[in-house]
């Protein structure tokens, strides 16, 4: 009972902070006076209160866009600047993943084939080993290990030939549009670009640990192309420091080798970890496959090359990815940019038309045609790369909420919803709206870029009505945009607009305020 009372007190305390005095606490159901035909909007109207709070918090009347639509119970559609094209950030991933579920199907899988143009003689494969990539968004080291171990299980311990990587699955003659990041780490995981040669998300995990021997540093996978210059100082036992206390600086050689110098201080018994993407896809994947082959007890004598697989090559092994539903969950829960961009390319590659030469553009066409087939207006919609990691991507709140409405009625609604972070519980929503009474009351995809904060998903109000809700803040700065969007979610739950109301269009912004 004490815990119940404490939780209720925390929820009420958070309510006071989120709702504020006199801004959102007021009655949100439209008063009966509207029935007399007056044209003025009442002060208590939900969307008007959201717009007023945003204007005060962001010092701008036009920084916030909101669309909220009830899906299975009482409520009134709410719009604020809903027809203004905005930079969405990562909520664009919902468009790509939902399209993939319906266009490719939830059971779609990617295959990676290992073939040879040679023969097996005793314990030796005499010939080249070809790796024919299939665009797999998540071809991990674990799956490569399980697959290549089959060679050793067949009795093969030597490959007398070359390792040839075949990345012809994607057509991408001009590459992907560059994202100009303003951070100080061009090797960050979120910047990894898509590629037919993608393996293990093109990442290296670096770790350093202090023990009685001093400090030890290593990388996973361990590949010869990457060396570590460990300069971390060992300290007596104490509180373990955060990652920010360590500097991982790569130095690149003309021969393709990379030396990573790590500095900092680490108490005994502690460790620190960093993830970096340092090598081009082809170099990384070739080095990774060679490392795994060595690890399972197979040596290869030839060089690492790229090329086409001969038509008469024989299949030796195959690894098949988890189904699309599993991939969509990874993309949306943890906002994986490279997996989302890989998915856009797959949509293009699997639906090419005569004359299509770029799978990115083909994927964008596929999504827009799919949306138009659902009656969703795609005017001013800019998909760019399918992940939202873009300065050019644009969508309106009305377009995004219409997509969520369509998803609610899709045969694959459950698959999409399961992929989205749960409020105050997991994914990118794990730390938001805790102790507010909203734990588990919605599945919300988040977006974050410089001057951009966004949310999109499904939220339940206190009447058990589920709403499709979209909120976008485009503002300089947008650091407090997250608080504004949290206010939207909190108010929608505890003060849902369920009364009778009128609406009017704003010709200045093209939005409807209800």
């Amino acid at each position: 009972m004490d815990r119940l009372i404490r939780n209720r007190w925390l929820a009420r305390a958070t309510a006071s902070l989120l709702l504020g005095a006199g801004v959102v606490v007021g009655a949100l159901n439209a008063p009966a006076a509207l029935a007399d035909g007056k044209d003025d909007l009442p002060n208590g109207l939900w969307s008007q209160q959201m717009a007023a709070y945003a204007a005060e918090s962001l010092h701008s009347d036009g920084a916030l866009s909101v669309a909220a639509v009830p899906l299975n119970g009482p409520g009134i559609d709410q719009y604020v600047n809903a027809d203004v094209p905005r930079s969405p950030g990562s909520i664009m991933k919902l468009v790509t993943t939902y399209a993939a579920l319906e266009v490719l199907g939830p059971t779609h899988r990617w295959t990676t084939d290992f073939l040879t143009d040679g023969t097996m003689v005793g314990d030796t494969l005499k010939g080249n080993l070809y790796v024919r990539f299939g665009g797999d968004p998540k071809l991990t080291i674990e799956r490569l290990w399980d697959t290549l171990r089959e060679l050793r299980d067949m009795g093969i311990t030597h490959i007398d030939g070359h390792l040839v990587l075949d990345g012809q699955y994607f057509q991408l003659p001009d590459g992907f549009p560059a994202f100009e990041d303003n951070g100080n780490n061009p090797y960050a995981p979120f910047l990894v670009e898509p590629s037919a040669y993608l393996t293990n998300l093109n990442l290296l995990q670096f770790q350093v640990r202090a023990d009685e021997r001093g400090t030890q540093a290593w990388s996973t996978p361990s590949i010869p192309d990457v060396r570590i210059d460990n300069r971390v100082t060992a300290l007596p036992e104490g509180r373990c420091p955060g990652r920010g206390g360590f500097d991982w600086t790569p130095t690149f050689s003309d021969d393709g080798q990379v030396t990573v110098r790590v500095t900092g201080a680490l108490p005994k018994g502690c460790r620190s970890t960093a993830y970096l993407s340092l090598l081009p896809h082809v170099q990384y994947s070739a080095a990774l496959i060679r490392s795994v082959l060595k690890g399972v007890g197979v040596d290869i004598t030839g060089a690492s090359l790229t090329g086409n697989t001969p038509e008469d090559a024989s299949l030796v092994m195959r690894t098949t990815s988890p189904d699309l539903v599993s991939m969509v969950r990874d993309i949306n829960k943890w906002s994986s940019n490279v997996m989302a961009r890989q998915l856009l390319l797959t949509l293009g590659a699997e639906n090419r038309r005569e004359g299509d030469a770029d799978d990115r553009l083909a994927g964008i066409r596929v999504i827009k045609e799919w949306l138009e087939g659902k009656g969703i207006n795609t005017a001013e919609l800019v998909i760019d790369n399918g992940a939202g990691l873009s300065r050019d991507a644009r969508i309106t709140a009305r377009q995004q909420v219409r997509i969520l409405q369509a998803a609610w009625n899709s045969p694959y609604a459950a698959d999409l919803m399961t992929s989205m972070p749960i409020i105050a519980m997991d994914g990118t929503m794990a730390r938001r709206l805790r102790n507010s009474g909203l734990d588990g009351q919605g599945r919300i995809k988040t977006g974050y870029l410089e001057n951009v904060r966004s949310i999109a998903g499904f939220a339940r109000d206190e009447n058990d009505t589920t709403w499709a809700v979209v909120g976008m803040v485009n503002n300089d700065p947008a650091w407090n945009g997250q608080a504004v969007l949290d206010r939207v979610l909190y108010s929608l739950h505890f003060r849902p607009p369920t009364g009778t109301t009128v609406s009017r269009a704003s010709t200045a912004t093209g939005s409807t305020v209800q």
Side-chain angles (χ1 to χ4, degrees):
M1 183 62 69
D2 290 344
R3 181 178 294 178
L4 177 62
I5 292 172
R6 176 179 177 275
N7 288 343
R8 286 177 176 171
W9 181 87
L10 285 171
R12 288 172 181 168
T14 306
S16 299
L17 292 172
L18 284 168
L19 293 179
V23 179
V24 181
V25 172
L28 294 178
N29 293 342
L34 284 176
D36 65 7
K38 291 182 180 179
D39 192 42
D40 291 338
L41 291 173
N43 291 332
L45 214 51
W46 187 91
S47 56
Q48 192 174 62
Q49 290 178 346
M50 294 300 101
Y53 175 70
E56 180 181 357
S57 300
L58 303 170
H59 306 293
S60 170
D61 292 333
L64 174 70
S65 285
V66 171
V69 176
L71 298 171
N72 61 352
I76 304 165
D77 295 3
Q78 300 290 309
Y79 300 99
V80 177
N81 296 322
D83 297 310
V84 177
R86 300 279 191 189
S87 176
S90 285
I91 64 173
M92 184 64 81
K93 292 181 175 72
L94 292 181
V95 180
T96 305
T97 53
Y98 172 35
L101 284 169
E102 290 209 342
V103 175
L104 298 175
T107 61
H108 180 85
R109 297 173 187 266
W110 291 259
T111 60
T112 304
D113 293 337
F114 295 82
L115 310 98
T116 185
D117 55 3
T119 58
M120 297 182 186
V121 180
D123 62 356
T124 301
L125 172 60
K126 292 185 175 294
N128 298 324
L129 180 65
Y130 293 86
V131 185
R132 188 165 62 197
F133 293 94
D136 192 333
K138 197 177 180 184
L139 181 55
T140 62
I141 187 173
E142 293 83 4
R143 285 176 49 210
L144 285 170
W145 188 280
D146 287 343
T147 303
L148 292 172
R149 189 170 54 193
E150 293 181 20
L151 264 181
R152 187 67 177 81
D153 294 341
M154 296 175 193
I156 300 298
T157 58
H158 305 281
I159 299 175
D160 187 10
H162 301 302
L163 175 65
V164 185
L165 307 187
D166 182 348
Q168 304 302 308
Y169 177 72
F170 288 146
Q171 294 181 2
L172 202 60
D174 299 321
F176 246 67
F179 175 74
E180 298 298 330
D181 184 50
N182 61 348
N184 59 358
N185 183 9
Y187 317 110
F190 76 92
L191 293 174
V192 173
E193 294 194 345
S195 170
Y197 299 99
L198 181 70
T199 59
N200 207 47
L201 303 178
N202 206 58
L203 294 179
L204 289 155
Q205 179 189 22
F206 292 92
Q207 297 188 70
V208 59
R209 184 181 186 277
D211 56 31
E212 57 275 8
R213 300 169 296 172
T215 62
Q216 312 297 320
W218 69 96
S219 69
T220 305
S222 176
I223 54 181
D225 295 351
V226 178
R227 302 183 181 91
I228 302 176
D229 178 9
N230 177 20
R231 302 192 183 186
V232 176
T233 302
L235 300 176
E237 290 185 5
R239 185 176 180 179
C240 295
R243 293 182 182 180
F246 299 87
D247 180 54
W248 302 83
T249 302
T251 301
F252 299 87
S253 303
D254 293 338
D255 61 359
Q257 302 290 304
V258 183
T259 300
V260 179
R261 184 181 67 184
V262 54
T263 58
L266 197 62
K268 182 180 177 182
C270 296
R271 76 172 64 202
S272 186
T273 301
Y275 289 88
L276 299 174
S277 178
L278 300 174
L279 300 176
H281 287 83
V282 170
Q283 182 183 358
Y284 176 90
S285 294
L288 174 59
I289 292 169
R290 283 180 171 272
S291 175
V292 173
L293 283 170
K294 181 179 179 181
V296 300
V298 179
D299 66 74
I300 182 168
T301 61
S304 297
L305 308 172
T306 60
N308 296 336
T309 304
E311 292 184 4
D312 59 352
S314 301
L315 181 66
V316 180
M317 299 159 299
R318 168 175 292 168
T319 178
T320 302
S321 76
D323 61 23
L324 177 62
V325 172
S326 300
M327 297 293 189
V328 167
R329 189 179 189 279
D330 283 346
I331 291 170
N332 288 333
K333 283 284 188 187
W334 307 109
S335 206
S336 174
N337 290 311
V338 65
M339 291 179 68
R341 295 197 280 183
Q342 201 87 350
L343 188 54
L344 178 67
L345 289 180
T346 300
L347 282 166
E350 293 291 325
N351 295 277
R352 287 185 195 133
R353 291 178 181 170
E354 186 177 354
D356 282 342
D358 188 312
D359 287 337
R360 181 184 71 91
L361 298 179
I364 293 171
R365 169 183 55 76
V366 167
I367 293 177
K368 285 193 171 184
E369 290 177 351
W370 167 77
L371 289 173
E372 290 163 1
K374 293 180 175 297
I376 296 173
N377 179 17
T378 62
E380 300 185 279
L381 171 65
V382 180
I383 295 173
D384 194 25
N385 61 22
L389 185 70
S390 168
R391 308 293 183 195
D392 299 317
R394 293 291 183 272
I395 195 170
T396 70
R398 191 184 303 274
Q399 287 170 328
Q400 185 92 48
V401 87
R402 287 287 311 278
I403 293 169
L404 292 175
Q405 287 178 278
W408 177 259
N409 294 307
S410 169
Y412 312 121
D415 299 314
L416 183 66
M417 291 183 68
T418 314
S419 76
M420 298 164 67
I422 305 172
I423 292 177
M425 294 183 72
D426 74 356
T428 57
M429 285 295 295
R431 298 178 181 274
R432 290 177 65 168
L433 290 164
R434 285 182 173 179
N435 300 318
S436 67
L438 268 71
D439 299 38
Q441 294 299 313
R443 293 178 176 271
I444 302 295
K445 180 75 192 76
T446 61
Y448 180 99
L449 281 176
E450 182 187 22
N451 299 332
V452 175
R453 303 292 185 273
S454 58
I455 56 169
F458 303 96
R460 182 185 298 183
D461 69 22
E462 61 181 358
N463 303 316
D464 289 333
T465 295
T466 298
W467 294 72
V469 58
V470 176
M472 289 182 282
V473 171
N474 285 190
N475 197 47
D476 185 8
W479 61 267
N480 54 346
Q482 177 174 313
V484 172
L485 297 175
D486 284 350
R487 169 78 67 95
V488 169
L489 291 173
Y490 191 93
S491 181
L492 189 63
H493 179 81
F494 288 105
R495 300 288 190 272
T498 56
T500 304
T501 190
V502 296
S503 65
R504 67 182 179 184
S506 168
T507 56
T509 64
S511 69
T512 301
V513 178
Q514 292 188 319

